[in-house]
Amino acid sequence: MIRKLLLATVVSAGCTGAIAADMKAEDAIRARQSIMRVVGINFAPLAGMAQGKIPFDRNAFAANALRLESVWAMEPQRYFVPGSDKAVSGSKIAGFTDARPAAWSKPADFKAAFDKNGKAIQALAAAARGGDQAAMSAAVGEVGKACKGCHDDFREKQ
Amino acid sequence: MIRKLLLATVVSAGCTGAIAADMKAEDAIRARQSIMRVVGINFAPLAGMAQGKIPFDRNAFAANALRLESVWAMEPQRYFVPGSDKAVSGSKIAGFTDARPAAWSKPADFKAAFDKNGKAIQALAAAARGGDQAAMSAAVGEVGKACKGCHDDFREKQ
């Protein structure tokens, strides 16, 4: 049992694999967009529950919150590699990156925004493990703020 | 401790959220592509370790294998909604779906392929929890076969 728990904890520790320095821009863009979309898909029902738009379901909440923690541990910020700041021509995702130049020109701010998000997500997962509905809902709000804060500064308006 | 473990197990149980019947094709395509890419990002180092191309790292293996299990529980097959079988015009991913018509015209085969993949991924996660390197590597091979089998039949050649 303890071994299983330890392994489950490892999930949060990340280590998806090294990012090659010569990773193609298209691959980097698709990787970060994919991770962020998976984050969004998991976050949406949590926001719905916290806002009372869908019924609160403790198990479903926990499943999504812990998956969010695990996926965030893939460290999407690693995929904002040099050269992936512009639309990629001749690819399936031609013309498609919503990242703003500030993600590269203000690396300290960008890192701080990601770190804030990571802490909020860890707190959300902790709340989900705790099981208190009010704490879980409050933690969703903090994650939402962190997401929005980073998007406001580093993502083009949708 | 036991409570944490139980919650960790919930991750595998899925429940990301309901799929709206009127989900836009673009959103469905991007959701399934994102999930699959996150699966691929996590699988790649496992394949590398199993094939001896990168050093075996038990903790890194477990992190990725358990995340793979958790992400697969999002049930990507749910996003092959009606109407999402063709390229989406006027969107950021215009012209971009690799799914073959067979994914819709042969639903029983498609479901069987997904189920096979799900079982292989669960076995991989179980092997990762067990911690035996030979079993872990063998399980990677089975997942790889299941992935390839589904791609051969239901995805355009890359």
Side-chain angles (χ1 to χ4, degrees):
Chain A
M1 292 288 273
I2 288 173
R3 179 168 180 81
K4 281 181 92 169
L5 177 58
L6 286 173
L7 284 175
T9 307
V10 169
V11 176
S12 307
C15 208
T16 310
I19 306 299
D22 60 349
M23 188 178 199
K24 282 198 299 183
E26 176 177 352
D27 291 336
I29 292 171
R30 291 184 67 191
R32 71 196 187 214
Q33 289 179 345
S34 295
I35 295 168
M36 289 299 188
R37 187 152 288 252
V38 167
V39 165
I41 291 169
N42 281 282
F43 185 68
L46 302 180
M49 288 185 215
Q51 294 164 4
K53 292 179 181 171
I54 57 175
F56 180 74
D57 177 326
R58 189 166 273 104
N59 285 344
F61 188 111
N64 283 27
L66 298 190
R67 183 159 41 230
L68 194 53
E69 182 186 41
S70 173
V71 171
W72 195 261
M74 292 174 70
E75 300 181 359
Q77 65 271 32
R78 297 186 300 165
Y79 293 94
F80 289 80
V81 299
S84 67
D85 56 332
K86 292 182 181 64
V88 181
S89 62
S91 87
K92 288 178 174 175
I93 54 165
F96 186 17
T97 175
D98 292 325
R100 285 187 171 171
W104 288 269
S105 64
K106 297 181 177 176
D109 292 349
F110 192 50
K111 181 179 185 306
F114 261 99
D115 289 348
K116 187 176 179 183
N117 227 133
K119 283 178 185 169
I121 287 172
Q122 285 173 0
L124 172 67
R129 290 188 178 98
D132 177 73
Q133 183 175 350
M136 291 158 83
S137 294
V140 169
E142 293 304 312
V143 173
K145 279 187 221 167
C147 291
K148 183 178 184 306
C150 191
H151 289 166
D152 284 349
D153 292 340
F154 298 105
R155 189 178 70 159
E156 295 295 341
K157 293 284 171 286
Q158 302 296 294
Chain B
M1 290 288 271
I2 288 172
R3 178 168 182 81
K4 280 179 93 169
L5 178 58
L6 286 173
L7 284 175
T9 307
V10 168
V11 177
S12 306
C15 209
T16 310
I19 307 299
D22 60 350
M23 189 179 200
K24 282 198 299 183
E26 176 177 353
D27 291 336
I29 292 170
R30 291 185 67 192
R32 70 195 187 215
Q33 288 179 345
S34 295
I35 295 168
M36 289 299 189
R37 186 151 287 251
V38 167
V39 165
I41 292 169
N42 281 282
F43 186 68
L46 302 179
M49 289 185 213
Q51 295 164 3
K53 292 179 181 171
I54 57 175
F56 181 73
D57 177 326
R58 189 166 272 105
N59 285 343
F61 188 111
N64 282 27
L66 298 190
R67 185 160 38 231
L68 193 52
E69 182 186 41
S70 174
V71 171
W72 195 262
M74 292 174 70
E75 301 181 357
Q77 66 271 32
R78 296 186 300 164
Y79 294 94
F80 290 80
V81 298
S84 68
D85 56 331
K86 293 182 180 63
V88 180
S89 61
S91 86
K92 288 177 174 176
I93 54 165
F96 186 18
T97 175
D98 292 326
R100 285 188 171 171
W104 287 269
S105 64
K106 297 181 176 176
D109 292 349
F110 192 49
K111 182 179 184 305
F114 261 98
D115 289 348
K116 187 176 179 182
N117 226 134
K119 282 179 186 169
I121 287 172
Q122 286 173 0
L124 171 67
R129 291 189 179 98
D132 178 74
Q133 184 176 349
M136 290 157 83
S137 294
V140 168
E142 293 304 313
V143 172
K145 278 187 220 166
C147 291
K148 183 177 183 305
C150 192
H151 289 166
D152 283 349
D153 292 340
F154 298 105
R155 189 177 71 159
E156 295 296 340
K157 294 282 172 288
Q158 301 296 293

